[in-house]
């Protein structure tokens, strides 16, 4: 079986007037299989979001390659976008559309066959518990309900690959737990999922494998059991601190 997501030696460099050349992503490589949640764990600014935006064709890499369902992100960006859904805590919704109109719109622009759109929207409204609010404008919804609509929007076209960039930021405990449950259900359906977070408990609960990212590089990548064995630490928080400390010591002059 082909691997849905392949990333090889991916790098991204920006120029900032204040800081000069910024190496946001440095030679990152990983794969994500169908039915797997692959976690990117790192502090803010570690390079997680930049990596995911390259995969989603929002940014172009400086060097290296990445593919989604066999489609290169540089050579076939439109094909890549048809195969994935991207969601983050900052995912924008159109405030004047209702929840139903939002799902209808995103199903259509992402290629859902016109004769299947209504059935697909009805299914999403039921699955994500949006029924009581389906006719309400997005700007009138609570933050938790907006996140539900954003999540349903992400899978409106039923893509095989999903990217979640810190999707639970700003949610209360109950809504965050519900979000985690839905993401686990997507894995059970066979979707390839990349899950970026800096919340250790989420990574422990959801991820089949975890990559620890520091200063744009992956410094450790394994199952939780493998990371525990390699570091001698049990809790992911301690594993992360030990890995980040070792990474900083190994490249003290690296910006």
């Amino acid at each position: 079986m082909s691997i849905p997501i392949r990333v090889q030696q991916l790098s991204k460099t920006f120029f900032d007037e204040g800081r000069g050349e910024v190496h946001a992503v440095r030679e990152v490589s990983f794969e994500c299989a169908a039915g797997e949640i692959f976690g990117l764990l790192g502090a803010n600014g570690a390079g997680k979001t930049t990596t995911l935006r390259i995969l989603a064709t929002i940014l172009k890499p400086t060097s290296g390659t990445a593919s989604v369902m066999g489609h290169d992100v540089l050579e076939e960006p439109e094909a890549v976008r048809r195969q994935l859904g991207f969601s983050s805590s900052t995912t924008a919704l159109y405030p004047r559309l209702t929840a139903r109109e939002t799902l209808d719109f995103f199903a259509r622009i992402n290629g859902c066959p016109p004769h299947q759109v209504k059935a697909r929207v009805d299914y999403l409204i039921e699955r994500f518990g949006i029924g009581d609010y389906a006719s309400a404008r997005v700007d009138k919804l609570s933050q938790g309900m907006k996140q539900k609509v954003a999540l349903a929007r992400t899978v409106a076209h039923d893509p095989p690959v999903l990217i979640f960039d810190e999707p639970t930021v700003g949610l209360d405990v109950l809504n965050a737990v519900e979000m985690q449950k839905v993401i686990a259900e997507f894995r059970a359906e066979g979707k390839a999922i990349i899950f970026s977070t800096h919340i250790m408990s989420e990574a422990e609960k959801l991820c089949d494998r975890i990559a620890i990212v520091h200063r744009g590089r992956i410094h450790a990548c394994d199952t939780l059991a493998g990371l525990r064995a390699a570091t001698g630490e049990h809790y992911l928080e301690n594993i992360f601190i030990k890995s980040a400390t070792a990474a900083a010591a190994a490249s003290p002059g690296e910006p």
Side-chain angles (χ1 to χ4, degrees):
M1 181 186 298
S2 61
I3 301 298
I5 302 171
R6 291 183 187 272
V7 177
Q8 297 178 309
Q9 297 295 302
L10 197 67
S11 296
K12 179 64 177 179
T13 302
F14 298 98
F15 182 80
D16 181 85
E17 290 186 0
R19 296 181 293 168
E21 194 172 58
V22 178
H23 299 275
V25 179
R26 306 171 189 255
E27 300 180 343
V28 164
S29 298
F30 63 86
E31 296 179 346
C32 180
E36 177 183 30
I37 298 178
F38 182 84
L40 290 179
L41 182 65
N44 291 334
K48 306 185 305 297
T49 294
T50 300
T51 300
L52 299 186
R53 287 179 176 174
I54 292 172
L55 277 173
T57 74
I58 298 169
L59 296 175
K60 293 182 178 181
T62 302
S63 62
T65 63
S67 64
V68 175
M69 300 302 291
H71 301 288
D72 186 273
V73 296
L74 271 177
E75 297 178 359
E76 304 174 273
E78 291 184 4
V80 168
R81 289 192 286 270
R82 286 194 294 268
Q83 299 295 322
L84 65 79
F86 182 90
S87 179
S88 77
S89 60
T90 58
T91 296
L93 297 171
Y94 297 109
R96 294 188 178 184
L97 293 183
T98 67
R100 178 179 291 278
E101 288 169 343
T102 298
L103 300 182
D104 183 283
F105 174 73
F106 280 99
R108 291 179 187 277
I109 66 169
N110 283 297
C112 183
H115 67 281
Q116 296 179 11
V117 169
K118 185 180 184 304
R120 180 67 181 167
V121 170
D122 288 344
Y123 165 76
L124 293 170
I125 287 172
E126 180 178 357
R127 176 170 186 177
F128 291 97
I130 304 171
D132 291 343
Y133 306 91
S135 298
R137 279 180 25 167
V138 166
D139 61 355
K140 303 299 182 183
L141 300 178
S142 67
Q143 182 59 32
M145 189 55 62
K146 286 178 181 177
Q147 284 292 79
K148 285 186 178 182
V149 175
L151 185 59
R153 186 223 76 171
T154 301
V155 297
H157 54 306
D158 197 22
V161 174
L162 298 174
I163 296 175
F164 295 101
D165 186 17
E166 300 187 2
T168 62
V169 170
L171 295 182
D172 60 40
V173 173
L174 292 178
N175 279 311
V177 169
E178 187 173 356
M179 177 80 74
Q180 293 165 16
K181 179 182 176 182
V182 172
I183 292 172
E185 290 174 355
F186 290 147
R187 171 178 53 195
E189 295 171 6
K191 299 186 185 298
I193 301 170
I194 300 182
F195 184 84
S196 166
T197 185
H198 60 265
I199 301 174
M200 306 296 164
S201 60
E202 287 188 342
E204 286 183 328
K205 184 183 298 184
L206 286 174
C207 298
D208 299 292
R209 288 186 299 135
I210 299 169
I212 295 177
V213 185
H214 181 71
R215 291 182 180 173
R217 297 188 189 275
I218 291 179
H219 290 277
C221 181
D222 208 335
T223 63
L224 181 57
L227 292 172
R228 284 170 171 166
T231 61
E233 300 287 350
H234 179 79
Y235 295 107
L236 188 54
E237 180 176 315
N238 294 333
I239 292 171
F240 174 77
I241 292 172
K242 178 173 280 191
S243 295
T245 301
S251 53
E254 192 171 80

